[in-house]
């Protein structure tokens, strides 16, 4: 197997470092360590685990700037986002599950001359496999509920963003987790496959694409591993004519251009009520023209660079396809032009926020996940029609309804096939609320109390009293 891979800066194209690929024999040794770690960790009380998770959260907060910078180097996202979202929400999730750990418990069921009780037990050795858009946050979202429930985890970050997960491993050790409880495995698809096929790994949790999700399920079937999948989406954002147009445009921007559009739940199919379509577009264009794209380390930057050259080409090819199929490009669609002092960014993977109108439901840009800053605007006339069209996708991750008529909002949400719905906002995911998809967007929830169900198995004990 190849010994190393190179990690490149998304914003300049320069090499950052070479990373050692974890070889199969090293994964075997990590699994042996994980087995020893599991024996110790599962027998700790929830309260003891909580103290360690809480301490790790404090360390994250104390290393907040350094971790945010590392994330920007690796992902090309704006530093403002890393400081406001990625790192604080990672510390939050550890703190949240520190609070939950001592409360994990079973039930008591009284029966005639007997009783039963249930125990919520850890599953064992879990593998977490991450995507590249929120590397540190994904590592925390997966490991915090896993560890709080008494499991151990081998975590493989994406080969495009390998750096911050190793920092998390150091932080957990500093906070006091026993050796072997959280270990980082580096490498790409082959390493991920090795983990998903391994008979001694009991559970696998992926954040990644639909294609990878299917492959992991196939591999996991060899020893019936438990699987949870956080996959892609092509989510609808439905805007009615009774809502403030300025605010609706802000929500559409948040739902499409945050993290350069590299957000799985983005509301990229923007259904706008036909009565307000023209005004909405005018307002949107005015706002989008003010978005500052550029140096990810500049605190005023709002959009950084896409993750890689390959991904840039993929997004550009979707834009070309949109034009060929007759959608009207009304904004963006190109790489930005750089002044001489910024010429080092010309090898980066930047792309302007891009907006298409005159779209219809069967266009490629409306059907397929682009995972970049490309918004498709569609218009609609009535509620029943928009529900049907919103559900006309294999995916079911997110959905948003923007209206002042809250009865209508709840009625629509009830009929939408999506796991994470927002009313009058978008992409807000505090750690207390479960997050995860329906249909081809996967299954199993991250965050909230629901994630504990993903990382525990229920044992029932019947007790005869006579
Ligand atoms: P990807 O599926 O290419 O890779 C994800 C991870 O899986 C990487 O670590 C990769 O090395 C690994 N991998 C690839 N092939 C594998 C295989 N055959 N077996 C095991 N592991 C394998 O996805 P990506 O390009 O990193 O991320 C983009 C995708 O992730 C998008 O579809 C996006 O919507 C999705 N995503 C979903 C969420 C969510 O919470 N639902 C969050 C972020 C990203």
């Amino acid at each position: 197997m190849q010994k190393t891979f190179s990690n490149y800066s998304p914003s300049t194209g320069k090499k950052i470092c070479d990373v050692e690929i974890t070889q199969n024999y090293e994964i075997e040794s990590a699994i042996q360590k994980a087995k020893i770690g599991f024996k110790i960790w599962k027998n700790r009380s929830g309260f003891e685990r909580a103290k360690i998770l809480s301490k790790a959260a404090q360390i994250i907060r104390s290393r907040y700037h350094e971790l945010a910078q590392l994330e920007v180097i690796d992902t090309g996202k704006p530093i403002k986002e890393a400081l406001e979202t990625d790192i604080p929400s990672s510390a939050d999730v550890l703190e949240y599950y520190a609070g939950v750990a001592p409360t994990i418990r079973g039930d008591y069921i009284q029966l005639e001359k007997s009783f039963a009780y249930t125990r919520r037990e850890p599953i064992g050795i879990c593998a977490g496999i991450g995507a590249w858009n929120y590397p540190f946050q994904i590592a925390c979202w997966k490991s915090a509920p896993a560890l709080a429930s008494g499991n151990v985890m081998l975590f493989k970050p994406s080969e495009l963003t390998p750096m911050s997960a190793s920092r998390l491993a150091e932080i957990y050790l500093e906070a006091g987790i026993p050796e072997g409880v959280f270990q980082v495995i580096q490498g790409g698809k082959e390493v991920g496959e090795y983990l998903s096929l391994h008979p001694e790994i009991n559970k696998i949790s992926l954040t990644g694409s639909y294609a990878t999700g299917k492959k992991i399920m196939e591999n996991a079937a060899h020893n019936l591993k438990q699987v949870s999948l956080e996959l892609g989406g092509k989510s609808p954002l439905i805007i009615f004519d009774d809502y403030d147009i300025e605010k609706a445009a802000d929500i559409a921007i948040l739902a499409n251009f945050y993290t350069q559009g590299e957000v799985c739940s983005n509301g990229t199919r923007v259904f706008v009520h036909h009565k307000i379509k023209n005004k909405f577009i005018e307002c949107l264009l005015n706002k989008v023209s003010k978005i500052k794209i550029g140096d990810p380390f500049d605190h005023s930057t709002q959009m950084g660079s896409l993750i890689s050259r390959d991904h840039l080409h993929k997004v550009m090819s979707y834009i070309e396809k949109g034009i060929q199929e007759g959608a009207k490009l009304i904004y963006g669609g190109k790489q930005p032009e750089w002044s001489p002092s910024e010429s080092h960014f010309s090898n980066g993977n930047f792309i302007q926020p891009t907006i298409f109108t005159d779209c219809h439901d069967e266009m490629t840009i409306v059907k397929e996940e682009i995972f970049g800053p490309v918004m498709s605007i569609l218009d609609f006339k009535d509620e029943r029609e928009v529900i049907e069209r919103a559900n006309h996708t294999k995916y079911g991750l997110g959905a948003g309804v923007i209206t002042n008529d809250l009865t209508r909002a709840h009625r629509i949400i009830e009929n939408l096939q999506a796991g994470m719905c927002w009313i009058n906002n978008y992409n807000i995911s505090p750690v207390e609320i479960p997050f995860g998809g329906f249909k081809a967007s996967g299954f199993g929830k991250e965050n909230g109390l629901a994630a504990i169900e993903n990382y525990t198995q229920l044992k029932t004990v019947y007790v005869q009293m006579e």
Side-chain angles (χ1 to χ4, degrees):
M1 203 210 278
Q2 205 186 320
K3 294 266 187 246
T4 59
F5 64 89
S6 300
N7 182 27
Y8 294 94
S9 157
S11 57
T12 64
K14 285 197 182 139
K15 186 153 117 177
I16 306 169
C17 57
D18 284 324
V19 179
E20 283 187 19
I21 298 173
T22 313
Q23 302 295 305
N24 293 349
Y25 76 89
E26 292 171 302
I27 298 180
E28 291 306 326
S29 130
I31 287 174
Q32 293 315 311
K33 279 191 199 153
K35 279 192 201 164
I36 298 167
F38 182 53
K39 278 192 188 145
I40 302 168
W41 189 242
K42 73 170 181 176
N43 289 319
R44 294 267 172 99
S45 69
F47 191 51
E48 286 304 315
R49 287 184 216 135
K51 286 189 217 163
I52 292 177
L53 284 171
S54 224
K55 178 129 189 253
Q58 280 166 25
I59 301 172
I60 292 174
R61 290 198 202 284
S62 71
R63 291 172 64 176
Y64 168 69
H65 285 278
E66 169 216 328
L67 291 167
Q69 286 189 346
L70 197 66
E71 210 65 336
V72 174
I73 293 171
D74 234 3
T75 60
K77 67 172 66 193
I79 184 82
K80 191 172 181 309
E81 287 187 15
L83 288 169
E84 284 175 2
T85 305
D86 296 59
I87 309 305
S89 71
S90 301
D92 285 354
V93 81
L94 266 62
E95 246 156 26
Y96 175 79
Y97 286 107
V100 171
T103 72
I104 297 171
R105 63 186 189 283
D107 263 331
Y108 170 87
I109 303 129
Q110 182 64 53
L111 302 164
E112 201 177 320
K113 294 179 186 156
S114 62
F115 69 93
Y117 63 95
T118 58
R119 293 167 49 83
R120 205 159 259 293
E121 297 185 353
I123 297 170
I125 304 181
C126 303
I129 299 187
W132 41 257
N133 58 342
Y134 284 82
F136 193 70
Q137 190 195 65
I138 291 173
C140 290
W141 278 21
K142 293 197 188 300
S143 60
L147 268 49
S149 313
N151 301 282
V152 297
M153 177 167 271
L154 305 187
F155 184 81
K156 191 196 86 60
S158 164
E159 60 277 33
L160 297 174
T161 51
M163 299 201 293
S164 56
S166 304
R167 295 295 160 93
L168 181 62
E170 286 167 26
I171 289 169
Y172 274 138
L173 282 175
E174 191 184 330
I177 59 162
E179 215 194 326
V181 171
F182 181 81
Q183 300 175 79
V184 172
I185 304 293
Q186 295 284 7
K189 179 179 164 185
E190 293 74 25
V191 175
E193 290 213 343
Y194 192 85
L195 294 173
S196 62
L197 282 166
H198 203 288
E200 290 188 279
I201 291 179
N202 311 103
K203 148 126 203 159
I204 192 146
S205 170
L206 166 79
T207 298
S209 61
Y210 171 65
T212 305
K214 285 201 296 186
K215 188 73 199 152
I216 281 185
M217 270 195 87
E218 263 174 59
N219 289 346
H222 287 274
N223 70 326
L224 291 187
K225 271 184 197 62
Q226 296 200 25
V227 177
S228 35
L229 301 173
E230 295 292 336
L231 309 177
K234 193 72 196 176
S235 304
L237 171 63
I238 304 169
I239 300 173
F240 279 90
D241 55 341
D242 61 355
Y243 202 75
D244 181 291
I245 293 185
E246 291 276 336
K247 285 188 194 153
D250 286 335
I251 293 171
I253 287 172
L254 177 66
N256 279 270
F257 302 134
Y258 200 73
T259 316
Q260 311 79 237
E262 297 167 327
V263 178
C264 50
S265 49
N266 268 357
T268 48
R269 290 185 295 144
V270 180
F271 291 95
V272 184
H273 194 271
H274 72 107
K275 280 192 190 153
I276 56 159
K277 189 178 138 194
N278 291 342
K279 269 196 183 157
F280 173 81
I281 290 173
E282 192 186 317
C283 180
L284 186 68
L285 286 176
N286 180 32
K287 286 176 189 285
V288 171
S289 64
K290 294 183 186 130
I291 291 179
K292 189 175 168 204
I293 175 165
D295 183 356
F297 279 100
D298 180 334
H299 285 256
S300 62
T301 293
Q302 292 162 295
M303 266 177 70
S305 65
L306 296 184
I307 190 70
S308 67
R309 239 332 96 144
D310 282 353
H311 192 51
L312 173 71
H313 289 150
K314 184 181 146 194
V315 174
M316 293 298 282
S317 73
Y318 272 114
I319 293 171
E320 278 157 29
K321 192 101 183 156
I323 297 167
Q324 276 166 21
E325 291 182 5
K328 188 168 162 198
L329 179 68
I330 59 161
Y331 195 87
K334 295 194 199 77
Q335 287 197 265
E337 285 175 13
W338 300 104
S339 65
S341 66
E342 296 171 316
S343 61
H344 52 293
F345 292 129
S346 47
N347 288 326
N349 310 311
F350 296 85
I351 185 160
Q352 295 166 330
T354 297
I355 303 174
F356 280 104
T357 58
D358 295 2
C359 299
H360 63 73
D361 298 345
E362 298 309 322
M363 284 177 172
T364 309
I365 54 165
V366 178
K367 286 174 87 166
E368 294 184 15
E369 182 185 42
I370 301 175
F371 214 50
V374 183
M375 180 194 295
S376 297
I377 298 179
L378 303 126
D379 56 23
F380 73 94
K381 288 205 172 73
D382 71 61
E383 198 179 305
R384 205 179 317 164
E385 168 211 340
V386 80
I387 291 171
E388 200 170 304
R389 291 172 62 200
N391 288 335
H392 179 59
T393 167
K394 71 174 178 184
Y395 293 112
L397 187 52
V401 180
I402 311 300
T403 176
N404 281 325
D405 180 345
L406 285 182
T407 311
R408 166 163 69 190
H410 292 295
R411 192 168 58 227
I412 293 176
I413 294 283
E414 191 182 335
N415 288 292
L416 289 178
Q417 298 157 357
M420 179 70 239
C421 298
W422 291 274
I423 296 174
N424 297 340
N425 212 329
Y426 206 86
N427 270 348
I428 309 295
S429 297
V431 300
E432 301 95 317
I433 67 173
F435 180 91
F438 285 4
K439 303 199 294 190
S441 295
F443 47 81
K445 299 288 172 192
E446 298 207 291
N447 291 345
L449 293 177
I452 296 297
E453 285 166 28
N454 278 342
Y455 286 104
T456 51
Q457 49 194 349
L458 203 62
K459 181 182 277 173
T460 305
V461 184
Y462 176 92
V463 184
Q464 185 63 52
M465 292 300 284
E466 278 186 15

